[in-house]
Amino acid sequence: MPKVIVAPTLAVALAIVSFASGGAKMKITSSAFQGGGNIPSKFTCDGGDTTPPLQIAEVPSAAKSLALVVDDPDAPSGLFTHWMVWNMSPQTNAIAEASTPKGIHGTNDFGKSGYGGPCPPSGTHRYYFKIFALDRELDLPPGTKRSQLDAAMKGHVVAQGELMGRYSRKK
């Protein structure tokens, strides 16, 4: 059974990694948790389920828009998307705590628009906050699903960065 879960996760992860041409890197950080560290419960389903503060740096001058994706590759069903926003201004350098950035929001795997915080059914899960600099704005309507966003971004990513945080629920 674990092989079935791992294979789709790796395929999606490899597809995302291959988006950026030339390996250009951006930075995405949070003042609420360190990369690889634990995400405070206030940003999860056990707390206020609000967005953590995020800082974005090293956006290339060629960027015409930004896209933000938050996902959990450790979900039992495979990759689980918690948040998607695209057509954000390339001048965006921060997203304040408990705020919603300007842009178009997709439908997450909770079936809702906007942020759905970490909420693992068991164990510790990894949550990736990924930022993409795109060479154009995307012609996608609000409510778009992850597979459509990935397809629209393919070939248009000029740089990317990621921040990984961990969370496990208290029993």
Side-chain angles (χ1 to χ4, degrees):
M1 188 72 130
K3 289 180 184 173
V4 173
I5 293 170
V6 172
T9 302
L10 285 176
V12 171
L14 291 174
I16 295 293
V17 168
S18 67
F19 277 154
S21 59
K25 301 278 187 206
M26 294 172 51
K27 288 188 180 176
I28 180 168
T29 58
S30 178
S31 58
F33 63 95
Q34 296 295 313
N38 292 323
I39 298 170
S41 63
K42 74 187 216 174
F43 304 114
T44 73
C45 67
D46 295 322
D49 212 15
T50 60
T51 60
L54 298 171
Q55 295 78 44
I56 300 164
E58 300 180 22
V59 176
S61 59
K64 302 288 187 248
S65 71
L66 300 177
L68 174 68
V69 175
V70 179
D71 56 35
D72 170 8
D74 301 318
S77 61
L79 191 69
F80 191 93
T81 302
H82 287 258
W83 196 19
M84 299 182 306
V85 186
W86 60 93
N87 291 356
M88 294 167 39
S89 167
Q91 283 75 44
T92 303
N93 59 16
I95 298 170
E97 180 176 325
S99 73
T100 303
K102 290 184 181 179
I104 300 175
H105 294 257
T107 299
N108 61 33
D109 286 334
F110 292 113
K112 299 179 178 179
S113 176
Y115 177 79
C119 198
S122 64
T124 300
H125 286 217
R126 296 168 296 154
Y127 296 88
Y128 287 87
F129 292 74
K130 300 173 187 172
I131 190 74
F132 299 93
L134 306 174
D135 63 5
R136 67 182 184 119
E137 288 194 346
L138 301 177
D139 187 19
L140 295 171
T144 293
K145 302 270 187 175
R146 174 69 183 271
S147 61
Q148 297 164 304
L149 176 62
D150 287 347
M153 288 195 317
K154 190 168 176 119
H156 296 285
V157 176
V158 294
Q160 65 188 53
E162 71 178 27
L163 168 66
M164 188 271 290
R166 301 174 191 275
Y167 186 70
S168 59
R169 299 182 77 186
K170 309 291 184 257
K171 303 278 182 191

